[in-house]
Amino acid sequence: MKNKKRQELSAQELYLKKHRQHKRVVSFSRLFVFLFFLLVWELASDFGFIDSFFFSSPSLVMQCAYRMMLDGSLFVHIGVTLLETLISFLLVFLLGITTAMLLWYSDKLSEILEPYLVILNSLPKSALAPLLIVWLGTGIKTIIVAGISVAVFGSIISLYTGFHEVDKNKLTLIRTLGGNKRDSFMKVVLPSSIPTVISTIKVNIGLALVGVIIGEFLAARQGLGYLIIYGSQVFQLHMVIMSIVLLCIIALGLYQGIQLLERKVTKWF
Amino acid sequence: METDTSKPPILTLQNIGYSYHSLQGETLALSDISFQVAEGEFIAIVGPSGCGKSTLLSIIARLIEPENGTIIIQNPDGSIHYPHIGYMLQKDYLFEWRSVYDNVILGLELNKKKTKENLDYVNTMLKEYGLYEFKNKKPSELSGGMKQRAALIRTLALKPQILLLDEPFSALDYQTRLQVSGDIGEIIHQSKITAILVTHDLSEAISLADKVFILSSRPATIKKELPILLTKKSDSLIASRNAPEFASYFNELWEALSNEK
């Protein structure tokens, strides 16, 4: 009996050991792929296999980042892009929840607006950019509106769909207990749609960044999107690549932030 | 139609009719339903599935308006306000994002009646029905029977004058179902609350109710009214099922229903 127990325990330990080993291999390989890529890129440009003027190199990118950090301009560009993204994201979130709520309240309204939402959602938003520049000028307003336009229609549609999928019997329950439609929304629809809300947020934060970069391409004097366009125009390709890398890091950071929020929220519910 | 003259009726349905409408046409669900419910009476309504039993309860609960007929209210105190109706649905529908306690006080919360007196009443019921130790748990941690009892407390917390039960045990497995229907039957008999139970389980109807109405298939009308009088030793469900009259009532109901299909 005791022997058997020991065997079971060691089987579990073996499993845990295997699991840890697997995790280590994955993490190590991920890092290796990254470093190997950097090394090949660096050597290829150092030995002239590729033209560092066009393809840059890790060291040139780092030098560029260092220079821009020293004069502080890098932080301004990052800050501007981050700020614009967060503002667009928050506005998308508020607009999305409010509109989806109104559509849920009124079936008639949602039926009337449905084709418009579908069309606006599938419209390529970059097509709107020239109009936005004419209407709002070049600056933060245009960029935030561009960020909103990319994410807002999809988020209305997915939130409304989520609200609508709530079990109708739960709504009947609220009515049998004497609650009204507002109670149904606050006590049933909203709490049971938390997973939908979180997945919409995850999609939206990425889309807001996409919209902001589109906006900065066309109508900005600051921000990473501007830096990419400016860098390509003056053939400073290490500036372009540095901005792209920074965008990767920002996207990762925003996503991690949302995941942190998700863990907090799911603990409450 | 004969009525129990010993107790005054609290609720009278007169010629209630209801149809469902769709673009394909009209489906008559209820036609010419009339009956009376006396105060403290336990009524069971049985009928073939899909005959409109739930529709009838929804009309009494005023979730939908009848197309024909009237509902007359005669409160014992002479007032004419619609009585507080409690409605137990087929499933418990306890919300997973609330604790058991927050679930059972949902009705009080919605009606802004979270007074000390009402909360004390809820706590007394939780203790009485063996849920007090589980009040801070999530509903998923309860057994099927406990969930159904929690749902009953949620309904009773609002002190309804009439309790509607729409096959409230149908989602439970057989053993739990016997136990819970026994428990809930006892609770209802003890609190002397007026109850209307819709079910397709004949034994359940006979063992719980004072009177059984048999509905015909669609469009439903009342086909038969059967007062139940069981000679039983105690109030328990098993005592009811062991009563000598049980089998003959069962056969009578069974025959009435079999002619329907």
Side-chain angles (χ1 to χ4, degrees):
Chain A
M1 187 70 191
K2 206 174 174 189
N3 197 15
K4 196 181 167 201
K5 190 156 190 189
R6 191 182 300 157
Q7 226 165 18
E8 262 175 16
L9 206 70
S10 68
Q12 171 68 9
E13 279 172 350
L14 202 70
Y15 169 77
L16 287 176
K17 202 174 159 194
K18 256 191 180 162
H19 181 75
R20 277 195 298 268
Q21 211 162 21
H22 170 77
K23 285 273 170 204
R24 264 204 303 274
V25 170
V26 169
S27 314
F28 177 77
S29 306
R30 279 177 184 166
L31 191 67
F32 178 78
V33 167
F34 180 63
L35 293 176
F36 182 75
F37 173 73
L38 287 187
L39 187 74
V40 170
W41 184 12
E42 182 67 47
L43 291 176
S45 85
D46 285 355
F47 289 103
F49 295 125
I50 54 175
D51 188 343
S52 64
F53 182 73
F54 291 116
F55 292 97
S56 192
S57 79
S59 56
L60 286 171
V61 170
M62 288 307 287
Q63 277 169 29
C64 171
Y66 183 67
R67 238 183 296 119
M68 291 185 72
M69 259 192 263
L70 281 186
D71 65 20
S73 59
L74 188 64
F75 301 110
V76 175
H77 292 298
I78 293 175
V80 164
T81 298
L82 260 181
L83 183 74
E84 287 163 346
T85 307
L86 288 176
I87 292 175
S88 325
F89 164 72
L90 282 177
L91 289 173
V92 164
F93 182 68
L94 291 178
L95 269 172
I97 288 263
T98 321
T99 315
M101 187 177 76
L102 289 174
L103 295 179
W104 180 84
Y105 263 81
S106 163
D107 287 333
K108 203 174 264 170
L109 185 68
S110 68
E111 203 179 325
I112 293 170
L113 293 185
E114 195 200 347
Y116 296 104
L117 281 172
V118 172
I119 293 169
L120 286 172
N121 186 42
S122 14
L123 177 79
K125 305 309 174 299
S126 43
L128 296 176
L131 277 182
L132 294 181
I133 295 170
V134 174
W135 290 340
L136 300 169
T138 58
I140 191 159
K141 256 190 286 177
T142 307
I143 293 159
I144 287 171
V145 172
I148 293 171
S149 72
V150 169
V152 76
F153 302 111
S155 96
I156 292 172
I157 290 172
S158 53
L159 285 172
Y160 170 68
T161 312
F163 289 170
H164 209 70
E165 270 167 8
V166 170
D167 190 346
K168 296 279 176 294
N169 290 309
K170 290 185 178 168
L171 305 178
T172 308
L173 174 79
I174 294 291
R175 286 185 66 201
T176 65
L177 292 173
N180 54 26
K181 199 146 189 186
R182 187 172 168 269
D183 293 320
S184 293
F185 187 79
M186 297 307 289
K187 308 282 180 191
V188 179
V189 174
L190 206 54
S192 54
S193 302
I194 292 292
T196 314
V197 172
I198 289 175
S199 71
T200 313
I201 285 179
K202 273 186 189 167
V203 175
N204 281 345
I205 194 104
L207 285 179
L209 186 59
V210 170
V212 162
I213 296 301
I214 292 176
E216 284 181 351
F217 276 180
L218 298 163
R221 287 279 159 268
Q222 281 171 325
L224 293 172
Y226 162 75
L227 219 53
I228 289 173
I229 291 295
Y230 174 77
S232 70
Q233 282 167 353
V234 299
F235 271 96
Q236 296 252 351
L237 291 165
H238 30 269
M239 190 187 276
V240 176
I241 290 171
M242 177 199 72
S243 307
I244 294 170
V245 172
L246 285 172
L247 279 176
C248 287
I249 295 170
I250 286 177
L252 182 74
L254 291 173
Y255 188 77
Q256 293 285 344
I258 297 294
Q259 272 195 325
L260 212 70
L261 189 81
E262 181 181 9
R263 246 172 276 151
K264 278 244 170 78
V265 169
T266 41
K267 225 183 255 172
W268 292 335
F269 284 95
Chain B
M1 186 179 290
E2 54 169 332
T3 43
D4 190 349
T5 44
S6 60
K7 291 174 206 154
I10 175 171
L11 184 76
T12 308
L13 272 70
Q14 276 182 345
N15 315 103
I16 296 294
Y18 189 83
S19 348
Y20 288 101
H21 298 275
S22 72
L23 292 179
Q24 280 71 43
E26 186 176 1
T27 318
L28 197 58
L30 300 174
S31 140
D32 210 19
I33 299 226
S34 304
F35 64 81
Q36 294 190 329
V37 185
E39 202 194 347
E41 205 173 21
F42 198 134
I43 301 280
I45 297 171
V46 297
S49 47
C51 77
K53 294 178 297 235
S54 302
T55 311
L56 186 57
L57 286 193
S58 299
I59 287 175
I60 298 173
R62 294 209 296 185
L63 294 178
I64 51 178
E65 284 282 313
E67 289 188 336
N68 301 306
T70 42
I71 300 179
I72 299 167
I73 305 300
Q74 284 147 290
N75 288 316
D77 58 3
S79 63
I80 51 156
H81 70 85
Y82 208 84
H84 288 299
I85 304 252
Y87 198 154
M88 284 269 283
L89 302 167
Q90 293 194 6
K91 289 190 200 154
D92 52 74
Y93 298 116
L94 296 170
F95 298 155
E96 200 47 42
W97 55 89
R98 285 167 169 255
S99 67
V100 172
Y101 182 74
D102 287 339
N103 265 295
V104 298
I105 62 164
L106 180 64
L108 296 176
E109 192 179 308
L110 292 174
N111 291 284
K112 305 198 169 50
K113 284 187 184 166
K114 273 163 71 175
T115 58
K116 181 165 186 315
E117 188 199 341
N118 286 331
L119 293 176
D120 283 348
Y121 179 53
V122 166
N123 279 319
T124 317
M125 282 194 286
L126 284 171
K127 277 179 197 146
E128 208 171 321
Y129 310 147
L131 286 170
Y132 193 73
E133 297 85 78
F134 298 92
K135 63 184 238 181
N136 294 321
K137 300 248 189 247
K138 295 273 159 204
S140 57
E141 294 173 79
L142 301 186
S143 69
M146 289 161 106
K147 281 187 208 167
Q148 210 49 263
R149 271 182 305 206
L152 180 69
I153 297 175
R154 181 180 60 198
T155 313
L156 293 181
L158 288 168
K159 298 185 178 145
Q161 286 160 277
I162 300 177
L163 182 63
L164 307 178
L165 303 129
D166 186 2
E167 304 195 26
F169 317 119
S170 58
L172 303 172
D173 64 82
Y174 190 67
Q175 209 181 343
T176 318
R177 177 182 184 136
L178 279 182
Q179 204 194 343
V180 174
S181 64
D183 286 354
I184 289 184
E186 245 172 86
I187 291 166
I188 291 167
H189 279 297
Q190 274 168 17
S191 55
K192 304 260 184 287
I193 192 169
T194 311
I196 304 175
L197 166 76
V198 155
T199 181
H200 55 248
D201 185 331
L202 301 184
S203 336
E204 203 168 271
I206 300 167
S207 54
L208 289 170
D210 303 319
K211 198 189 278 173
V212 179
F213 290 119
I214 300 157
L215 291 188
S216 65
S217 53
R218 204 162 250 198
T221 49
I222 292 190
K223 212 187 149 191
K224 196 177 172 72
E225 181 183 332
L226 185 67
I228 307 280
L229 265 173
L230 298 173
T231 334
K232 51 188 178 181
K233 292 191 191 78
S234 72
D235 240 1
S236 80
L237 190 75
I238 295 299
S240 299
R241 295 203 180 210
N242 284 332
E245 301 89 351
F246 191 88
S248 68
Y249 281 135
F250 191 93
N251 288 336
E252 207 172 328
L253 284 178
W254 175 252
E255 263 166 44
L257 269 180
S258 308
N259 296 336
E260 247 350 285
K261 289 165 191 171

